[in-house]
Amino acid sequence: MATPAATTQSVIRAVDVGVYYGANQVIESVNLDIAENEITAIIGPSGAGKSTLLRCINRMNDLIDSFRMEGKIWFNEFDLYAPGSDPTQIRYQIGMVFQRPNPFPKSIYDNVAFGPRINGYSGNLNDIVEESLHSAALWDEVKDRLKESALALSGGQQQRLCIARAMAVSPSVILMDEPCSALDPIATLAIEQLMQELKKRYSIIIVTHNMQQAGRVSDKTAFLMPDENRVAHLIEFDETARMFTNPSDERTEAYITGRFG
Ligand SMILES: Nc1ncnc2c1ncn2[C@@H]1O[C@H](COP(=O)(O)OP(=O)(O)OP(=O)(O)O)[C@@H](O)[C@H]1O
């Protein structure tokens, strides 16, 4: 399997990760190094374990009773599954943006202030709200309506609000699970442009079904595919430009040229 040269430091390192739901194994032996300040896309056909793998990285799967993971995932020097590690704290450092925008039924301001308040943030909340909304390229659109309900925003604005909410607790990594699938092309473009800004400060991992999107936004791409027993394997992990022009595995080529999936 092709693996990209380690040009930058890894922020996330998956080592021999296998995942089971009850007795069913769905992912086998995935090894992945996620570089700092890059965008890594995870692609693959439906059921290839993309979301499962993404959710392992901030321990979201812990909420599923039948879930079991083997192997290790390192976050810098920190073993994410070490006994005693706190999933809630992990989720602040490794934030997540979901497929459907999911703002809380609160004001725009309170959505962004939510995490810092829970964390007992002692600085100026107004500053952190403004800064996060600026970073999510939303400030100019909402600065005069911060007390209005977040649910009154458009889908694209709601998704940028969710990004602002994730950023307000100063994460290092942002996980995005098909963040544009519920958005129109203009809102999608706004998120893609935003991602290019965000990667200067964060490491981003995005699951996408959209091959063009993976090609446009990501530095590296990981291709997952299930075998005949529906157990997913990492087939190829490489620089996006190389994988999309000269994949080293014929299954990757078949997938990205649309011959299956
Ligand atoms: N909570 C769960 N309980 C049991 N099995 C699950 C659960 N979640 C996912 N699976 C199974 O794990 C496998 C991988 O699912 P996952 O959603 O991670 O794939 P995916 O590549 O993200 O799919 P899609 O592109 O359709 O969203 C599938 O066979 C799915 O049925």
Side-chain angles (χ1 to χ4, degrees):
M1 188 190 80
T3 44
T7 44
T8 21
Q9 202 181 331
S10 296
V11 59
I12 299 286
R13 170 169 291 194
V15 182
D16 285 333
V17 168
V19 176
Y20 298 77
Y21 290 113
N24 286 339
Q25 184 166 21
V26 296
I27 293 178
E28 186 172 301
S29 208
V30 165
N31 290 284
L32 202 56
D33 264 345
I34 303 294
E36 249 180 353
N37 301 110
E38 285 193 351
I39 300 176
T40 304
I42 302 178
I43 63 168
S46 191
K50 303 180 295 295
S51 296
T52 296
L53 180 62
L54 192 76
R55 293 162 62 96
C56 285
I57 299 173
N58 72 346
R59 293 195 50 172
M60 284 292 289
N61 290 322
D62 288 23
L63 308 170
I64 299 169
D65 284 345
S66 62
F67 166 80
R68 180 166 69 82
M69 196 193 90
E70 57 190 23
K72 281 200 186 297
I73 302 183
W74 298 95
F75 169 46
N76 297 316
E77 307 306 314
F78 180 68
D79 174 357
L80 284 179
Y81 286 80
S85 61
D86 177 355
T88 305
Q89 283 309 317
I90 288 169
R91 290 179 205 134
Y92 284 127
Q93 293 174 65
I94 305 176
M96 187 142 189
V97 176
F98 296 88
Q99 196 163 354
R100 298 211 157 265
N102 61 344
F104 303 132
K106 293 171 179 286
S107 70
I108 294 166
Y109 184 100
D110 286 342
N111 263 272
V112 184
F114 184 84
R117 274 188 182 131
I118 291 231
N119 276 352
Y121 180 72
S122 57
N124 187 329
L125 264 182
N126 292 347
D127 287 349
I128 214 163
V129 168
E130 179 171 345
E131 203 179 295
S132 304
L133 287 168
H134 265 299
S135 303
L138 190 58
W139 175 251
D140 290 341
E141 290 161 65
V142 302
K143 63 178 190 290
D144 300 323
R145 48 193 289 210
L146 293 175
K147 295 292 170 197
E148 283 178 28
S149 170
L151 303 180
L153 296 172
S154 72
Q157 289 172 327
Q158 288 188 9
Q159 198 59 308
R160 278 179 284 142
L161 180 66
C162 292
I163 293 173
R165 186 177 64 189
M167 287 190 305
V169 290
S170 306
S172 330
V173 180
I174 301 180
L175 309 177
M176 298 184 164
D177 195 350
E178 298 204 47
C180 302
S181 65
L183 305 182
D184 66 28
I186 291 172
T188 296
L189 185 65
I191 300 281
E192 289 183 3
Q193 285 171 341
L194 174 61
M195 289 173 73
Q196 297 307 321
E197 277 307 304
L198 295 181
K199 82 170 192 179
K200 295 173 187 160
R201 286 192 285 147
Y202 308 95
S203 312
I204 299 175
I205 310 175
I206 176 174
V207 165
T208 178
H209 266 118
N210 182 330
M211 228 44 51
Q212 285 79 16
Q213 179 168 68
R216 280 193 301 265
V217 303
S218 70
D219 300 288
K220 296 203 178 90
T221 298
F223 172 52
L224 287 175
M225 199 181 109
D227 62 19
E228 60 283 4
N229 298 316
R230 297 204 288 180
V231 181
H233 303 264
L234 180 62
I235 304 298
E236 192 162 343
F237 176 42
D238 209 340
E239 305 283 344
T240 300
R242 191 176 318 144
M243 192 191 282
F244 278 59
T245 51
N246 188 20
S248 63
D249 192 292
E250 61 186 25
R251 292 166 292 183
T252 316
E253 182 172 10
Y255 183 69
I256 60 185
T257 55
R259 274 186 275 138
F260 78 89

